[in-house]
Amino acid sequence: NAGVMQNPRHLVRRRGQEARLRCSPMKGHSHVYWYRQLPEEGLKFMVYLQKENIIDESGMPKERFSAEFPKEGPSILRIQQVVRGDSAAYFCASSPDLEDTQYFGPGTRLTVL
Amino acid sequence: GQQLNQSPQSMFIQEGEDVSMNCTSSSIFNTWLWYKQDPGEGPVLLIALYKAGELTSNGRLTAQFGITRKDSFLNISASIPSDVGIYFCAGQRQGGSEKLVFGKGTKLTVNP
């Protein structure tokens, strides 16, 4: 059973461009979470999705950020008009129904020039 | 957003020594978790605690869920070089499918 997959692993964007981060949960997992980690910091929750639904987006900035988890395909975290402060590692985690444990992917490291 | 208070921030120890780190919160959590993160990787779950007062071991690792539900500690016995990494505590308020709140991490260095 493959683990949580994230791609790309590294992404470089110039200010004002769009960044798209993809997450494929573990097989059979219908819950996806996105977290952001700044250097020397812990992970901070952004958004929790189930298939086709956003359950909790309390950690998501109100502007420029959006997330989706379609019926088919990976979950996407989209950042429009990136700024230098968006540079961070973005981690996706997934969990199955009826289990608490969240399994993390290897992360996408976004660098905004 | 809230973060848990984790200490110490970093530790430098000799191989074979025991290590202890802890996490506190001003509010109650119903689940406490300890993760390890290696450079360039995502966090990997080490131990999960679901019950106040619970003491759980995983090999050389032992973690406890505080009675007040506002704290947890992790001990590593007889450290080895591959224990190097950043250890994070994380809490869930209600358990189930819910966001994790993380501490800032304890960076462990083990000198052979």
Side-chain angles (χ1 to χ4, degrees):
Chain A
N1 189 8
V4 178
M5 313 272 284
Q6 287 188 251
N7 67 81
R9 293 290 306 270
H10 300 273
L11 182 61
V12 179
R13 285 286 177 267
R14 297 192 180 279
R15 279 180 298 169
Q17 291 184 321
E18 179 179 287
R20 278 184 181 242
L21 287 63
R22 285 176 289 278
C23 168
S24 296
M26 288 176 72
K27 190 175 179 182
H29 288 197
S30 58
H31 303 260
V32 165
Y33 311 79
W34 286 93
Y35 295 82
R36 177 163 61 179
Q37 185 179 33
L38 295 171
E40 312 297 321
E41 296 282 326
L43 281 71
K44 290 193 178 174
F45 168 79
M46 298 181 73
V47 62
Y48 160 38
L49 310 102
Q50 289 185 36
K51 280 288 185 182
E52 300 185 276
N53 291 307
I54 296 175
I55 307 301
D56 180 358
E57 55 182 350
S58 58
M60 192 95 106
K62 294 283 184 281
E63 295 179 354
R64 303 187 299 108
F65 285 73
S66 62
E68 62 177 15
F69 188 16
K71 191 175 179 182
E72 302 290 337
S75 174
I76 307 284
L77 179 67
R78 184 178 173 213
I79 311 173
Q80 295 178 288
Q81 299 175 306
V82 295
V83 300
R84 289 219 173 101
D86 297 333
S87 295
Y90 291 82
F91 290 96
C92 166
S94 72
S95 66
D97 287 336
L98 307 177
E99 185 184 321
D100 300 348
T101 306
Q102 294 180 24
Y103 299 87
F104 283 83
T108 294
R109 275 136 192 92
L110 172 66
T111 302
V112 180
L113 301 177
Chain B
Q2 182 186 7
Q3 275 194 314
L4 301 176
N5 301 310
Q6 186 171 350
S7 64
Q9 196 171 358
S10 60
M11 301 184 76
F12 297 84
I13 62 169
Q14 294 296 126
E15 183 177 357
E17 289 183 356
D18 296 345
V19 170
S20 185
M21 58 193 80
N22 69 79
C23 223
T24 60
S25 170
S26 56
S27 53
I28 287 171
F29 285 87
N30 286 318
T31 300
W32 284 89
L33 306 137
W34 287 92
Y35 286 86
K36 183 186 179 212
Q37 185 178 30
D38 291 326
E41 297 296 329
V44 174
L45 181 66
L46 299 173
I47 291 182
L49 301 154
Y50 300 107
K51 201 171 167 184
E54 180 182 355
L55 185 72
T56 297
S57 292
N58 178 8
R60 293 179 295 104
L61 277 59
T62 302
Q64 183 154 34
F65 188 151
I67 287 287
T68 64
R69 291 189 282 162
K70 292 183 179 182
D71 64 316
S72 176
F73 72 74
L74 175 71
N75 286 343
I76 305 173
S77 62
S79 58
I80 58 178
S82 62
D83 290 335
V84 164
I86 303 179
Y87 292 79
F88 289 98
C89 62
Q92 276 182 321
R93 286 222 163 72
Q94 295 176 358
S97 301
E98 197 207 62
K99 64 185 178 187
L100 297 174
V101 178
F102 280 83
K104 285 194 172 187
T106 295
K107 187 173 182 180
L108 179 64
T109 302
V110 180
N111 296 315

